Amino acid sequence: MSAARMLTGDRPTGRLHLGHYVGSIANRVKLHQRYESFFIIADLHMLTTRNSREDIEQVSRNAREMVTDILAAGVEPDRATFYLQSAIPEVGDLNTLFQNLVTVPRLERVPSLKEMSRDAGKEEMPYGLLGYPVLQAADILCVKGQVVPVGKDNAAHVEVTREIARRFNHLYGEVFPVPEMIMSETPTLVGTDGAGKMSKSRGNAIALSDDPATVRRKVMGMYTDPNRIRADVPGTVEGNPVFAYLDVFHTDRATVEELKARYRAGRVGDVEVKEELAGALNRFLDPVRERRARFEGQPGLVDELIVEGTERTRAEVRRTLVEVRRAMGLTSAYTQVRRRAERYRKAVGTPA
C-alpha cells in the first residue's frame, strides 16, 4: 500500500442528512485528502434491519443518492473508491472466518445493537444483527483499513474490529493492521423533534439535499423549550435543538451568544431564533447544493464511480482472502488432500 487506508461508509437506506454530516461526513471530507479512502455502500448491513423485496429493490437508487450526497459534501471523486458491499462475495467468506474469533457474550455487550433492533421494530434480535460488528470487521480488514472515522454510536463496533484483528494476528501471524478510530468532534445531532438523534426513520432529519424552502419549513417546526409560551418568558438554551444546531452551523459566534442571552432573558421570540437558524443552515447547504447539481448534471457518472470502485475493491479483497487462508493453513489443507487424490488417480489409472 502506498498510503494509509481509510474505510468508511453508510447503509443505502435513503439520502444523507445533517446528522450524518456532523457525525462522520465532515471528518471524511478532511481525512480523504490524507488517506487512500474506501467508501462502502453497506447494503448487506442494511439487510440486518430492512430486508424486504421492496427495500432491496431500492438499493441501486439509494446507493446513487448516497454517493451523490457524499460527493456534494466535499469528497473528491478522484480521491475516493466507492463500492457496493453485496457485489463482493469474498467479504462474506472473511466474515465467516472472523465469526470464530469473537464470542456471543462479547457481541451482546455492544450497546447500539439493541437500539438498532428496537428502532427497526424487531421483537427479537436477528442473528445477522448480532453479528453486525463482525461483518463490519470484515469490511474494514478486507482492504486492510488503518483508520476509521466514527461517531460515538459506532465506536463500540470498531472496537470489535480491533479485537478481531489482534486475535487473528496472535493466532495466525501478522496479517491485519489494528485500525485506529478517529472520533467526530460532534458525535451526534439531536433530531428536529428533540426526542432523539437525527434519523431518517424517525422523520426528524434535515437532508443534505433539502431545498431552501424545505429547510426553512423543517426549522420552523422544530421543537424548542415547551415551557416557553410567549416571547417574553425566559427560555432554556441547554438541550434546546435550535441552539444546538446554531452552535454547530452558525459561523458568527457573537450572534449566537447574543441570541442565547436574549432567549434566557425573554427578549427574543422562537420565530426570530428559528429564522436565524434557517438562514445559517441554508448558507451552509448552498455550496453542497451546487456540487450536487454538478454531479447530477452528468447522468451515469456516479454509477460509473461505483462500478469502477467495486471492481477495484474486489481485486483487493481477493488478495486479502488469499493471504488470510494461507496464514490460517486452509490453503495447504486442501492442497494436501488434492495431492493425495492425484496420486490415487495415477495409481488406479483414473484420468485427472
Side-chain angles (χ1 to χ4, degrees), residues 45 48-49 95 99 102-110 112-114 116-117 124-136 157 160:
H45 284 295
T48 61
T49 56
N95 178 53
Q99 288 171 356
V102 65
T103 67
V104 169
R106 174 65 183 92
L107 295 175
E108 290 176 335
R109 293 198 300 272
V110 176
S112 58
L113 295 181
K114 290 182 180 179
M116 292 172 66
S117 182
E124 296 180 320
M125 185 180 297
Y127 170 77
L129 183 55
L130 180 65
Y132 191 113
V134 184
L135 180 56
Q136 192 169 47
H157 291 202
V160 173

Side-chain angles (χ1 to χ4, degrees), residues 146-168:
Q146 292 155 290
V147 296
V148 184
V150 295
K152 180 177 66 175
D153 293 343
N154 211 24
H157 291 202
V158 180
E159 188 56 45
V160 173
T161 298
R162 290 164 52 81
E163 293 171 13
I164 286 175
R166 285 193 291 260
R167 179 66 173 161
F168 186 96

Side-chain angles (χ1 to χ4, degrees), residues 22 43 49 51 60 62 96 116 131 147 151 166 190 224 232 253-254 259 270 301 309 340-341 346:
V22 301
D43 55 333
T49 56
N51 54 14
S60 61
N62 286 343
T96 297
M116 292 172 66
V147 296
R166 285 193 291 260
V190 67
T224 55
D232 60 352
R253 300 309 310 157
L259 285 173
D270 284 335
L301 171 62
R340 289 176 64 86
K346 289 180 181 179

Side-chain angles (χ1 to χ4, degrees), residues 328-350:
M328 295 179 70
L330 293 173
T331 302
S332 61
Y334 183 66
T335 298
Q336 293 174 28
V337 171
R338 189 182 67 243
R339 287 173 178 171
R340 289 176 64 86
E342 289 172 351
R343 289 196 293 270
Y344 171 77
R345 290 169 182 169
K346 289 180 181 179
V348 301
T350 303

Side-chain angles (χ1 to χ4, degrees), residues 84-109:
L84 186 63
Q85 184 185 30
S86 64
I88 305 178
E90 292 82 3
V91 173
D93 296 339
L94 197 57
N95 178 53
T96 297
L97 298 176
F98 284 171
Q99 288 171 356
N100 302 304
L101 302 179
V102 65
T103 67
V104 169
R106 174 65 183 92
L107 295 175
E108 290 176 335
R109 293 198 300 272

